[in-house]
Amino acid sequence: MSSIAVGVEVVAVEETGEAELPSAAGMRLPVWFFGFEGVLAGAFDLLRAFPSAWPALVALGAVNLAVSLTLLRTRLKLAKLLWRGKGTRKVAFALVGLRFGSHLLLGLLGAAVASTFGHVLFALVMAAVTVARLAYVQRTALAALVADGRVAA
């Protein structure tokens, strides 16, 4: 087995000339990265609680983008595969539905979230649900890729 330098990565090449499959562990997005997504999922309620926090949320979005395109560049393949998957889109739509549905239901019950504490609590719940769901989707997507033979275990 020989190796070929590609950018800053070294890709192992077998005698047949084919590159080895990437490992599931190497493709896995760290859970702390989902924290960015969690904060952005709670952005609506954070802005309702603290309207002047929008510059911080914009900066966090920019940091999220910068981290995605630099530090996690080698893992963008997984992110692209995740966003193409039906499961991730279902999660995204479910989270949007949860957001609007819960606010609508609370409003119909006469218990609309109006306080700063309520909005912060709602943002924390949305962030936690988002992180948990994205971590779950990642785990199941990697398992499917391993089973399909597109990623090494």
Side-chain angles (χ1 to χ4, degrees):
M1 184 179 293
S2 61
S3 62
I4 300 173
V6 179
V8 290
E9 295 181 32
V10 176
V11 178
V13 179
E14 295 188 26
E15 308 306 328
T16 61
E18 295 180 19
E20 288 183 11
L21 294 175
S23 72
M27 289 184 73
R28 180 169 285 123
L29 293 167
V31 175
W32 61 260
F33 179 73
F34 294 138
F36 284 125
E37 308 307 324
V39 170
L40 295 176
F44 173 80
D45 284 296
L46 288 175
L47 288 175
R48 293 292 213 125
F50 309 106
S52 60
W54 69 267
L57 290 173
V58 169
L60 188 64
V63 169
N64 184 8
L65 185 61
V67 167
S68 298
L69 296 175
T70 57
L71 298 176
L72 301 177
R73 185 123 181 103
T74 58
R75 296 171 176 169
L76 282 180
K77 183 177 181 179
L78 175 63
K80 288 177 186 175
L81 288 171
L82 287 175
W83 278 111
R84 288 184 190 150
K86 285 190 312 187
T88 305
R89 286 194 300 267
K90 285 180 184 178
V91 167
F93 289 128
L95 289 170
V96 170
L98 176 65
R99 150 88 51 231
F100 290 117
S102 56
H103 276 289
L104 179 66
L105 181 63
L106 288 171
L108 290 174
L109 294 174
V113 178
S115 69
T116 299
F117 176 74
H119 282 295
V120 169
L121 184 62
F122 223 93
L124 289 172
V125 168
M126 286 304 298
V129 169
T130 299
V131 170
R133 294 298 301 157
L134 289 175
Y136 172 76
V137 167
Q138 173 181 257
R139 189 177 72 227
T140 56
L142 283 172
L145 289 172
V146 168
D148 195 31
R150 294 171 47 180
V151 174

